[in-house]
Amino acid sequence: MPIKKVMVIGAGQMGAGIAQVTAQAGFEVLLNDMNEAALEKGMNNMNKLLTRAAEKERITENEKEQTLGRLTASSALEDAKDCDLVIEAIVENMEVKTKVFRELDEIAPAHAILATNTSSLPITEIAAATNRPEQVIGMHFMNPVPVMKLVEVIRGIQTSDETYEAIAGMTEDLNKTSVEVADFPGFAANRILMPMINEAIYTVYEGVASPEDIDTVMKLGMNHPMGPLTLADFIGLDTCLYIMEVLYEGFGDSKYRPCPLLRKYVKAGWLGKKSGRGFYEYN
Ligand code: NAI
């Protein structure tokens, strides 16, 4: 059955971005959040981003109005009852996610696909909480969603070819590029990125070079648009540590051990840009 109506659950940083690009691509979208204030903030953010895009003539005023017309706020999970696809983007916690997937399994029509934007939790385990594991899949968008082109499409062990094809196709409709990834810790993006960031932190820890110089090495030497320590501050050092722990535990391999300096910064509350201090200081 073609995907027409989509519910995005979680109106935070990722959910609002996913809802926006989905509505821009012509789908009817419900943005759901259990927190009224978060829902209002998510809807307002989308409005602001679309208004700015129209002002800068990246989209027409008409496109903006049509996109807004396809977006509806929802505070009840029951609204998923006539959706063809649900994309979950709530807190990164297995217990909370499986509870929502169990409820969705009861509410959503039998043909509906249930996708998760998790950045680290096993798709296979989330799928096992439902009676339709073949219709559960990972759709890992990158932040900020309206800007970043990549979506990792992650197959759980029971995800069907039909589900994979529907989601890979839909991702192209969103004007994104999808890559097919198997369900292993960190998927592909974070498995490659996070050990690089962790190694950059070890390089500071061992006194090899300063954070500024390490970022310069990677920018000017490797042509990265942003140095790894600047990027770590932007992602949040707590998030970086959490993902390293997922890799370390998931593979049981010491090559993924988080750098002690990363642990120390997180304990100090130096979480990067969001807390005002990480490897750099922010006003
Ligand atoms: P966020 O904290 O900005 O937003 C989460 C939203 O979910 C909040 O508004 C909260 O009220 C809502 N929520 C929580 N439980 C809910 C429930 N049971 N029902 C309805 N709404 C609920 O989080 P963010 O950063 O948007 O992350 C969401 C997901 O996306 C996580 O799984 C995260 O790992 C993943 N992700 C995050 C990226 C990032 O850079 N922030 C990048 C890629 C994936």
Side-chain angles (χ1 to χ4, degrees), residues 167-180:
I167 294 304
M170 145 109 188
T171 305
E172 304 296 322
D173 293 340
L174 299 183
N175 201 17
K176 307 274 181 208
T177 299
S178 73
V179 290
E180 181 180 353

Side-chain angles (χ1 to χ4, degrees), residues 36-175:
E36 283 292 338
L39 184 57
E40 204 182 316
K41 194 172 161 207
M43 294 297 287
N44 286 339
N45 279 347
M46 285 187 299
N47 204 326
K48 262 190 242 157
L49 287 176
L50 288 165
T51 301
R52 201 179 311 150
E55 279 165 7
K56 294 197 165 168
E57 296 181 356
R58 285 198 298 265
I59 58 172
T60 64
E61 195 60 36
N62 188 30
E63 275 168 333
K64 175 193 142 187
E65 290 308 325
Q66 289 201 347
T67 301
L68 288 173
R70 286 192 285 266
L71 278 161
T72 310
S74 150
S75 46
L77 214 55
E78 283 66 31
D79 294 336
K81 64 183 184 302
D82 56 355
C83 289
D84 308 301
L85 167 66
V86 179
I87 306 174
E88 166 278 314
I90 63 171
V91 57
E92 188 76 344
N93 175 301
M94 183 54 96
E95 228 172 280
V96 182
K97 286 204 198 278
T98 46
K99 181 170 177 284
V100 167
F101 272 74
R102 242 177 258 123
E103 288 170 21
L104 281 173
D105 196 24
E106 299 284 321
I107 299 165
H111 73 273
I113 294 175
L114 309 180
T116 172
N117 181 49
T118 180
S119 49
S120 65
L121 300 172
I123 309 304
T124 302
E125 193 175 337
I126 295 174
T130 72
N131 291 312
R132 58 177 98 188
E134 64 292 342
Q135 284 161 243
V136 177
I137 194 160
M139 263 181 117
H140 183 206
F141 289 83
M142 306 290 132
N143 188 13
V145 181
V147 177
M148 303 298 278
K149 283 276 174 207
L150 178 74
V151 180
E152 283 188 302
V153 178
I154 305 130
R155 299 181 70 139
I157 199 163
Q158 299 186 74
T159 307
S160 69
D161 290 343
E162 207 182 344
T163 299
Y164 169 73
E165 271 141 32
I167 294 304
M170 145 109 188
T171 305
E172 304 296 322
D173 293 340
L174 299 183
N175 201 17

Side-chain angles (χ1 to χ4, degrees), residues 199-218 227-230 261 265 279-280:
E199 202 58 31
I201 301 171
Y202 265 110
T203 318
V204 177
Y205 180 59
E206 291 169 6
V208 176
S210 67
E212 290 83 358
D213 285 348
I214 288 160
D215 279 349
T216 302
V217 165
M218 298 307 283
L229 299 166
T230 303
L261 188 63
Y265 275 30
F279 289 98
Y280 300 95

